[in-house]
Amino acid sequence: MKMILYSLLFSVLVSCSNAVQDEQSIAFDHYVVMAATDDNVTEVDYLYKHFKKRSGEGVVLKQGKDKIPANESKVQFIDVAVDKNLDGDYEIIKKDNRLTLKANSKKTLYWLYYQYFQALSENNSIIKAEDLPPAIVNFAASKKVKFAFTYREPHLKANLEPDYDVIVNTNNVENDWGIWGHQLFNIVSKNPKNVYYSIVDGQLNKDQLCFGKPEMYNFLVSYVIENYGEKENSHQKFVVSPADNNLVCTCTSCSKLGNTKGNSSFSVIALVNKLASRFPNHEFFTIDYLSVKTPPLKMMPKNTGIIISSIDIPRKVNMDSNNAFVKSFVSKVDNWHKVCNSVYVWDYISNFDDYLTPFATLSVCKTNFDFYKKLNINGIFANGAGYDYSTFNEVHTYVLAALMQDPTLDVNQLVNRFCKFYYGSSGQSVANYILGLEKLMQTKRYSLDLYNGVGKMTKTYLNKKDFFDFYNEIGDLKSSNTDEINFKFSQLHTGLMYSAMQINLASGFDDSFGFARSQDNQILINDDFRKYYSDFETQFKIDDVLLTRERNGMVMNYLKDVKKVLLDAKLQPNLLSKNVLNVTSQLDEDYSDQGVLTDNTPSLPFDYHTGWMLVSASDLNAKIEGLNESGLFHIKLNFLLDEHLKFRAPEKIQVLVNDVIVKTITPSFKMSDSAQRLGLETTVNLKSTDNITVIVVRDKTYNKFACDEIYLYK
């Protein structure tokens, strides 16, 4: 009984608290937008237009246009202004029945309008704002606020929707950059000339650019003028950076500037400085990444900046200040702060090998953002799945946008409020699951990997049972709401189908979660796995879930691999087991489970994380003992070929019987630009008493390979 009374009391207190929060804002019958001056005509018109269409007739009025009620006690007067000299990003001034909204930019002022609309709508049914995400601004009292960062971008699909960056007040690479990331290489390649490209080891190399010759400067000057202008009101940001590799131009011009074989900092920064001086109204950045790593000795122009990659920082809720990578990052930030005004960080918020499996990124981001703020970093580009659908990207966009303004905000509250807005009355189920993942990250202090498969995820924050309970719950919800919300749940469910299949595959023959079972000397695919496949094949295009990862992640290719390697294949039981096969050579630290080589699970070329053993420490040496059978046997090994990942076929495979080489397999081809599976097979007569050794010799180019199974069968 006490608990019930407490709950009721708590509910009343919360309700009163919410009402009091905007008491001064909602205690009016009319809202009057003050007449514009010469400086704020556009801003006043925008407020009046958008406020009026969200209210009842006669509720929103404009001074000088509409008749103002005589009883001013029931009228809220609203004045607005853009003040570029404002000491902060926005200011709210409340005095009696007058509200003044100021911001240092038009975009922030418009965002403040939407915050106000949403805050009003929560307690005043006359104001309509169902399309707006929950407000994070409290309008109950006057305040002046400075955001934690001046540049704020969660690079996710939701943030790239038209005008959404205004609604949540974020940045967007499509709008804010004339050249972004490594795009300069692509722009130059549209009209290629040898003089634009690098000289590496004395030879022309078109995989990298030259930044030291005057031709590159002239090209960029023309590009900026033609596309963005150079007048005083022209303002755009540009990234001038090398292509995404370690190559460095050491032509005569670049060498004179200071370039060495592994360091292009000198020519790149010299070009950035020269462009900044030529175009004082634009901003020019480069990226501290790969070959650009040395700050100059002299101060750079005020309209320059650096973007520093945080790729090496461990992604944990508890930031370890003594970690070597963290110390290195801090030192790097300090050094750049000494020579340029704008220091941004290129952060990471997605699993780039799996966009669809839930990723517990929010609490880690909150920790990192607070860390960056303390380092006086000016901006964050949080690199995520970008233009492609990723699970929970709408929730992540909203929460990260808020945390980039203020890292002290509460993740739980943000998630709960947004899920209720986005998924309606069923949103609490999504919120509970997301926050359950975040709680595990907080309590277990796991580290997130940016390139990872479900095998490791399910050993850390992703509980298998909880996942499938959530998957089934979303399946029940995807047709029980409005059409709009039903689509959101259907899309979420479709993305999770991929995760369900991947968890099944990583679980092998597990009774509860495996993809198959062994029966009567046959391997049979489970019905659940076949249903996931069938449903995913049917739904992925309908729900616009087209990619699974950053590189070559087309769902169609994944489905083809599953069909070819598993569903249409005759899966041969392996006579070997981990008790019969024993690896005697050194294995890599993260791939020391030799059971992968005898688990009866063929692996997909699409996914190098699941089922493949990566071998680089030494050549593989495996002994087969206690066979207990005699006769003619087949020995087969499968390898992953993927030149991007530096996986090639081995140089050769040797089969030894009683220490004598009886068979040598030499691959007919060793490499492939696209991921594919290569099977190598031979036959050997064996006695039950024989000692058999299989030696896989690594290709000398990369000294590594990926193998999924060593099969022995009759």
Side-chain angles (χ1 to χ4, degrees):
M1 185 65 178
K2 288 182 179 179
M3 286 300 296
I4 295 174
L5 289 173
Y6 174 79
S7 298
L8 288 172
L9 178 60
F10 179 77
S11 176
V12 170
L13 288 173
V14 170
S15 176
C16 291
S17 173
N18 288 340
V20 171
Q21 172 181 313
D22 292 311
E23 182 179 2
Q24 297 178 60
S25 305
I26 65 173
F28 300 97
D29 296 330
H30 303 281
Y31 301 88
V32 176
V33 179
M34 300 296 289
T37 65
D38 292 340
D39 297 327
N40 67 349
V41 173
T42 303
E43 292 80 4
V44 166
D45 288 345
Y46 190 97
L47 174 60
Y48 179 63
K49 173 185 175 182
H50 287 272
F51 199 1
K52 188 176 179 65
K53 72 180 183 181
R54 292 178 179 276
S55 64
E57 185 66 30
V59 174
V60 176
L61 309 171
K62 185 178 180 182
Q63 187 182 42
K65 176 182 176 65
D66 302 313
K67 183 178 180 180
I68 311 301
N71 184 1
E72 291 190 357
S73 64
K74 293 187 177 183
V75 178
Q76 170 92 88
F77 292 93
I78 306 173
D79 200 6
V80 299
V82 172
D83 182 356
K84 294 184 179 180
N85 297 316
L86 190 67
D87 182 22
D89 286 282
Y90 71 88
E91 184 176 9
I92 298 171
I93 303 172
K94 300 197 70 173
K95 187 176 181 181
D96 299 327
N97 63 340
R98 191 180 185 95
L99 171 68
T100 302
L101 303 178
K102 293 183 179 181
N104 64 357
S105 71
K106 185 182 291 186
K107 183 174 181 178
T108 295
L109 185 62
Y110 289 179
W111 163 79
L112 201 56
Y113 294 168
Y114 290 116
Q115 290 285 298
Y116 185 57
F117 301 157
Q118 216 291 325
L120 287 177
S121 73
E122 289 190 7
N123 296 296
N124 188 345
S125 60
I126 296 176
I127 308 300
K128 305 299 181 184
E130 297 88 348
D131 59 316
L132 299 177
I136 62 172
V137 174
N138 186 319
F139 288 86
S142 297
K143 65 180 68 179
K144 187 181 290 184
V145 175
K146 183 176 179 59
F147 298 141
F149 308 99
T150 57
Y151 187 90
R152 305 175 301 278
E153 178 170 2
H155 189 56
L156 295 165
K157 184 177 176 64
N159 189 62
L160 293 164
E161 295 296 328
D163 299 326
Y164 193 66
D165 59 328
V166 178
I167 302 296
V168 292
N169 202 16
T170 53
N171 293 92
N172 179 326
V173 291
E174 294 292 343
N175 302 328
D176 294 303
W177 297 87
I179 302 175
W180 171 249
H182 305 286
Q183 287 179 346
L184 177 58
F185 184 85
N186 297 332
I187 293 170
V188 169
S189 298
K190 290 179 180 178
N191 184 23
K193 296 179 181 179
N194 287 349
V195 71
Y196 297 150
Y197 294 102
S198 63
I199 300 296
V200 179
D201 296 329
Q203 301 293 321
L204 178 69
N205 191 314
K206 292 190 175 182
D207 291 328
Q208 190 52 270
L209 300 172
C210 170
F211 294 86
K213 296 190 188 78
E215 287 82 0
M216 179 60 77
Y217 170 74
N218 293 334
F219 171 84
L220 281 167
V221 167
S222 297
Y223 183 84
V224 172
I225 292 174
E226 290 172 10
N227 292 280
Y228 300 96
E230 56 179 329
K231 296 181 180 178
E232 188 175 345
N233 61 353
S234 301
H235 181 79
Q236 190 60 281
K237 299 177 191 288
F238 301 89
V239 173
V240 178
S241 71
D244 193 3
N245 59 54
N246 285 296
L247 297 174
V248 174
C249 181
T250 52
C251 70
T252 302
S253 298
C254 288
S255 296
K256 283 182 178 179
L257 291 167
N259 277 17
T260 58
K261 187 171 183 178
N263 194 340
S264 67
S265 305
F266 306 97
S267 65
V268 172
I269 292 169
L271 179 57
V272 167
N273 289 346
K274 194 173 180 180
L275 289 166
S277 298
R278 172 64 179 79
F279 297 104
N281 299 313
H282 293 304
E283 292 181 76
F284 295 88
F285 289 71
T286 192
I287 306 172
D288 183 310
Y289 180 67
L290 296 178
S291 68
V292 178
K293 51 195 173 186
T294 307
L297 297 176
K298 295 181 180 179
M299 191 72 184
M300 298 169 67
K302 64 180 182 180
N303 57 325
T304 61
I306 189 71
I307 305 171
I308 304 174
S309 170
S310 68
I311 189 73
D312 292 325
I313 294 178
R315 321 205 85 72
K316 302 179 71 173
V317 171
N318 55 321
M319 177 70 70
D320 180 6
S321 59
N322 292 317
N323 178 275
F325 293 112
V326 174
K327 285 184 174 181
S328 175
F329 181 83
V330 171
S331 176
K332 189 177 291 188
V333 170
D334 288 344
N335 289 334
W336 280 108
H337 265 309
K338 293 173 185 176
V339 296
C340 68
N341 288 333
S342 295
V343 177
Y344 292 3
V345 62
W346 186 306
D347 208 25
Y348 304 86
I349 57 176
S350 294
N351 179 352
F352 297 97
D353 275 340
D354 188 342
Y355 289 159
L356 303 181
T357 300
F359 196 56
T361 192
L362 298 177
S363 299
V364 171
C365 288
K366 178 180 170 71
T367 295
N368 285 3
F369 294 173
D370 187 57
F371 171 62
Y372 300 148
K373 181 183 178 183
K374 290 174 181 175
L375 292 178
N376 294 316
I377 283 171
N378 310 99
I380 297 176
F381 171 75
N383 193 22
Y387 303 88
D388 304 309
Y389 172 81
S390 57
T391 297
F392 304 138
N393 84 89
E394 303 88 357
V395 185
H396 290 173
T397 296
Y398 170 80
V399 174
L400 297 180
L403 292 175
M404 286 178 185
Q405 292 186 15
D406 181 1
T408 68
L409 292 174
D410 182 74
V411 168
N412 287 23
Q413 185 180 54
L414 292 169
V415 170
N416 278 319
R417 295 189 72 206
F418 184 82
C419 286
K420 180 180 178 182
F421 153 74
Y422 190 75
Y423 293 106
S425 59
S426 301
Q428 196 60 52
S429 296
V430 181
N432 289 344
Y433 185 71
I434 293 173
L435 294 176
L437 300 179
E438 296 297 328
K439 185 176 181 180
L440 280 173
M441 291 298 300
Q442 295 161 10
T443 56
K444 300 293 186 180
R445 300 189 173 186
Y446 293 126
S447 181
L448 282 180
D449 289 329
L450 299 172
Y451 294 88
N452 204 1
V454 295
K456 189 167 184 179
M457 285 185 262
T458 54
K459 292 176 182 176
T460 53
Y461 69 89
L462 191 70
N463 179 276
K464 295 180 186 179
K465 182 181 182 304
D466 290 347
F467 170 83
F468 281 104
D469 286 346
F470 178 65
Y471 173 84
N472 292 328
E473 184 177 6
I474 297 304
D476 292 337
L477 290 172
K478 69 179 184 179
S479 58
S480 58
N481 295 276
T482 64
D483 289 345
E484 181 182 356
I485 292 178
N486 284 344
F487 175 79
K488 294 173 182 177
F489 276 116
S490 181
Q491 186 177 51
L492 174 59
H493 194 247
T494 297
L496 296 176
M497 288 175 191
Y498 172 79
S499 305
M501 293 175 67
Q502 289 293 89
I503 292 173
N504 280 175
L505 290 173
S507 301
F509 289 74
D510 180 83
D511 290 340
S512 299
F513 303 107
F515 80 102
R517 63 194 185 280
S518 181
Q519 180 177 310
D520 299 329
N521 202 33
Q522 287 185 308
I523 295 174
L524 304 176
I525 304 292
N526 290 331
D527 291 340
D528 282 350
F529 184 81
R530 291 186 181 277
K531 180 170 176 26
Y532 296 146
Y533 177 89
S534 175
D535 290 347
F536 195 32
E537 185 181 39
T538 301
Q539 287 295 128
F540 81 95
K541 288 183 181 178
I542 297 172
D543 290 329
D544 196 28
V545 181
L546 306 176
L547 284 174
T548 68
R549 65 174 186 228
E550 180 182 42
R551 176 183 169 271
N552 295 335
M554 295 293 292
V555 167
M556 289 183 64
N557 293 337
Y558 173 74
L559 292 169
K560 287 177 183 176
D561 275 2
V562 171
K563 184 174 176 60
K564 179 180 179 181
V565 176
L566 298 173
L567 300 182
D568 289 350
K570 181 180 180 181
L571 301 182
Q572 179 70 50
N574 196 346
L575 295 177
L576 300 179
S577 68
K578 60 183 178 181
N579 297 321
V580 177
L581 182 79
N582 181 36
V583 176
T584 58
S585 55
Q586 181 184 356
L587 293 175
D588 291 41
E589 182 179 356
D590 292 335
Y591 296 91
S592 58
D593 179 13
Q594 65 182 49
V596 170
L597 299 175
T598 57
D599 63 3
N600 284 283
T601 306
S603 301
L604 306 179
F606 189 91
D607 175 21
Y608 71 97
H609 290 292
T610 304
W612 294 101
M613 174 177 277
L614 277 55
V615 179
S616 66
S618 68
D619 295 339
L620 183 70
N621 192 311
K623 292 188 176 296
I624 301 171
E625 298 175 332
L627 187 58
N628 296 326
E629 289 190 55
S630 299
L632 182 65
F633 290 85
H634 298 271
I635 296 178
K636 183 178 181 180
L637 294 85
N638 294 308
F639 298 93
L640 174 61
L641 307 188
D642 189 335
E643 198 64 16
H644 175 78
L645 297 172
K646 296 182 169 59
F647 290 138
R648 290 186 176 181
E651 180 181 311
K652 60 183 176 181
I653 302 169
Q654 295 176 323
V655 180
L656 289 73
V657 178
N658 301 324
D659 298 325
V660 176
I661 298 174
V662 296
K663 289 291 178 73
T664 299
I665 309 173
T666 303
S668 57
F669 66 98
K670 292 186 177 182
M671 57 182 286
S672 173
D673 289 333
S674 59
Q676 68 170 286
R677 201 162 176 263
L678 174 67
L680 300 175
E681 186 173 3
T682 190
T683 55
V684 185
N685 270 306
L686 299 174
K687 298 177 183 177
S688 60
T689 56
D690 286 339
N691 292 319
I692 306 107
T693 303
V694 177
I695 299 175
V696 184
V697 181
R698 294 168 297 167
D699 179 85
K700 296 300 183 291
T701 306
Y702 300 128
N703 278 320
K704 69 176 184 179
F705 62 83
C707 180
D708 76 335
E709 193 89 356
I710 298 178
Y711 282 105
L712 185 72
Y713 60 95
K714 284 188 172 182

